[in-house]
Amino acid sequence: MLRIGSKYRHLVHDAGCGCLTPDLQRAAHRLEALSRRGLLSGLAATAIAGAIPARGIAQTQAKPIKTLLTNARLFDSKAGTVVGNVQVLVIDHQIAYVDRTRAPAPEGTTVIDCRDGVIIPGLIDAHWHTIFAAVPLNQLLGGDPGIIFAASTAEAQRTLMRGFTTVRDLGGPVFSFKQAIDAGIVPGPRIYPSGAMITTSGGHGDLRLPNEIPRDGGKLSGSELMGGAAVVDAVGDLRLRIREQLLRGASQIKIVGSGGVSSPRSPLDMTTFSEEDLRHAVGVVADWNTYIAVHAYTPRAVQRALRAGISCIEHAHLIDEETAIMIAEKGAWLSTQPFLTMADAASQSGVGAERAEQIFKGTPALYQYARKLGIKTAWGSDVLFSPELGPRQNVMLTHLGNWYSNAEALQMATYGNAQLLALSNLRNPYAGKLGVIENGALADLVVVNGNPVENLALIEDPQKNFSLIMKDGHVHKNTL
């Protein structure tokens, strides 16, 4: 039976319901008047406008929230080791101290006995699509903002309940959705947003329908109006679209350098922007003190991006050793996914499934290059277009065990991925350290029933094996 606490009482029609107040009725009429282009933003922005003042007042009046996690072991994500006899004090949003002396809890502290569970930092997915992960492609192309927003809201909570407290969103209309999560309206992970992925005509992410080609003057397609992609072919437009995403709050920029698996009409082997184009893009993001993540599978696309000065390569499953050496020499990040079988890409069919098979074949060699050459490697899942695929997020993390030790896999999904997020520099939306459990770090924590360094498979079943999930100091799950 579902019980709704006082925090969420306003979401149901009870005696105190405000759903029929004049202010909310006026807001509803305003929402009805919004265009399709603005509906997703309007939904979140209207909610945020009403929620933020009340939350701000509550925070100024409330006493500090103190939580002590005791009788625990701790995964040191820097060293890759587990230490025992630890307790962690959280005050409000931060870790106040990590203690091994069994110091008594400060007055007014909620004490949680972790029963010798292992506390790990909240997991970080470096390649996620908040809006697209759980929405089937046919619904997405249908452009119904209501179902898209509803599916994304449900998936955001499921993502958090899988232990992922932070995601790097690499393409989608996520800015207002992020604001809703940050304001506490929608439960979900922290989001490092890219906004619209920027591509050329015919590139991955160009999902224009046949009746939208050719362009009618400057008219934008449905997917562009939604904010999922920006299709550009001139340098001036490229600069403009990058600046627009940064203006809206992008922490990094996603540029498409090659074809893709899920775009039905963009061949996997194609290359999009020229090296000169990419240099212009790098110049714009440098002016904004952040970086570009480039979608690229082939040697040609990856090498072109590296020569242009791009510091983060996404995917790269089809590269050769020469290209891998170039990644290592440039000191660039490789952000990739351990795709192994169709179970990891079950939403793909037809030509997408054929392309996915090519990716599966390239995955083992890619990770072998990364290990051999010491490439800075981040982990992501890149789940798309399927609510059923969501639980694969945890399974794909454990796929790393094919090439890395259990400790190294956990390090990659915590401390390592946090280092990649730090490339956002002055565009970082969250002040504080992520991916570590130490004094002053943000309080994103997961308690595992058992030791994942000894048994990485514990990560695969978060419902059973994650007894506590805390994000930003707030407990979202506690079965202890």
Side-chain angles (χ1 to χ4, degrees), residues 130 167-176 178 182 190-196 245-246 248-254 290 424 427-430:
T130 308
V167 298
R168 188 177 60 141
D169 190 285
L170 286 183
V174 76
F175 295 116
S176 294
K178 173 188 178 299
D182 291 345
R190 301 175 189 275
I191 297 175
Y192 280 71
S194 301
Q245 307 317 306
L246 293 166
R248 298 196 67 188
S251 52
Q252 65 285 319
I253 294 296
K254 165 77 171 291
T290 184
S424 293
R427 303 286 76 76
N428 191 325
Y430 302 103

Side-chain angles (χ1 to χ4, degrees), residues 275 278-279 299-310 326 330:
E275 185 176 329
L278 295 177
R279 288 186 185 278
R300 184 184 185 197
V302 172
Q303 290 184 25
R304 179 178 291 184
L306 292 170
R307 287 194 299 269
I310 288 176
M326 188 174 178
K330 293 285 188 180

Side-chain angles (χ1 to χ4, degrees), residues 205-439:
D206 183 357
L207 297 178
R208 287 179 293 171
L209 300 175
N211 63 349
E212 294 175 316
I213 303 172
R215 281 197 190 276
D216 180 8
K219 185 177 180 181
L220 299 178
S221 64
S223 62
E224 290 175 283
L225 288 171
M226 183 181 293
V231 182
V232 299
D233 292 294
V235 168
D237 291 335
L238 173 61
R239 289 170 168 165
L240 171 65
R241 298 306 177 206
I242 290 173
R243 289 174 177 136
E244 286 176 344
Q245 307 317 306
L246 293 166
L247 180 63
R248 298 196 67 188
S251 52
Q252 65 285 319
I253 294 296
K254 165 77 171 291
I255 283 186
V256 172
S258 75
V261 173
S262 57
S263 294
R265 297 185 298 275
S266 60
L268 195 56
D269 61 287
M270 73 170 293
T271 312
T272 56
F273 292 103
S274 69
E275 185 176 329
E276 181 183 359
D277 290 337
L278 295 177
R279 288 186 185 278
H280 284 288
V282 169
V284 174
V285 297
D287 287 344
W288 280 73
N289 294 298
T290 184
Y291 72 101
I292 288 173
V294 65
H295 164 109
Y297 281 106
T298 64
R300 184 184 185 197
V302 172
Q303 290 184 25
R304 179 178 291 184
L306 292 170
R307 287 194 299 269
I310 288 176
S311 55
C312 181
I313 306 297
E314 300 296 320
H315 309 307
H317 293 81
L318 304 182
I319 65 170
D320 52 24
E321 186 167 8
E322 176 189 355
T323 307
I325 291 172
M326 188 174 178
I327 295 174
E329 290 178 345
K330 293 285 188 180
W333 276 87
L334 170 64
S335 171
T336 193
Q337 306 78 41
F339 290 121
L340 296 178
T341 68
M342 279 306 300
D344 299 326
S347 61
Q348 303 300 327
S349 60
V351 68
E354 295 173 7
R355 295 172 186 169
E357 291 290 347
Q358 297 181 53
I359 303 305
F360 305 148
K361 292 177 182 178
T363 295
L366 176 62
Y367 279 101
Q368 289 163 12
Y369 295 147
R371 293 236 58 172
K372 174 183 175 181
L373 300 169
I375 294 172
K376 294 182 294 187
T377 305
W379 170 86
S381 64
D382 197 17
V383 170
L384 278 174
F385 308 140
S386 171
E388 291 77 26
L389 270 180
R392 299 295 294 182
Q393 190 177 22
N394 295 68
V395 174
M396 287 189 65
L397 173 52
T398 64
H399 282 351
L400 291 175
N402 287 286
W403 305 280
Y404 300 91
S405 70
N406 295 346
E408 288 171 329
L410 283 175
Q411 284 180 291
M412 191 180 295
T414 53
Y415 178 70
N417 277 0
Q419 302 313 297
L420 172 58
L421 297 180
L423 291 186
S424 293
N425 197 1
L426 299 180
R427 303 286 76 76
N428 191 325
Y430 302 103
K433 292 179 287 186
L434 292 171
V436 293
I437 304 174
E438 59 185 44
N439 297 359

Side-chain angles (χ1 to χ4, degrees), residues 97-114:
Y97 65 71
V98 178
D99 173 51
R100 301 190 67 183
T101 67
R102 295 185 178 272
E107 183 180 353
T109 300
T110 299
V111 179
I112 299 176
D113 185 345
C114 295

Side-chain angles (χ1 to χ4, degrees), residues 56-77:
I57 293 171
Q59 287 178 339
T60 59
Q61 295 176 346
K63 295 180 180 179
I65 299 173
K66 303 174 186 177
T67 306
L68 182 68
L69 305 182
T70 189
N71 188 23
R73 291 173 286 171
L74 181 148
F75 174 65
D76 183 337
S77 58

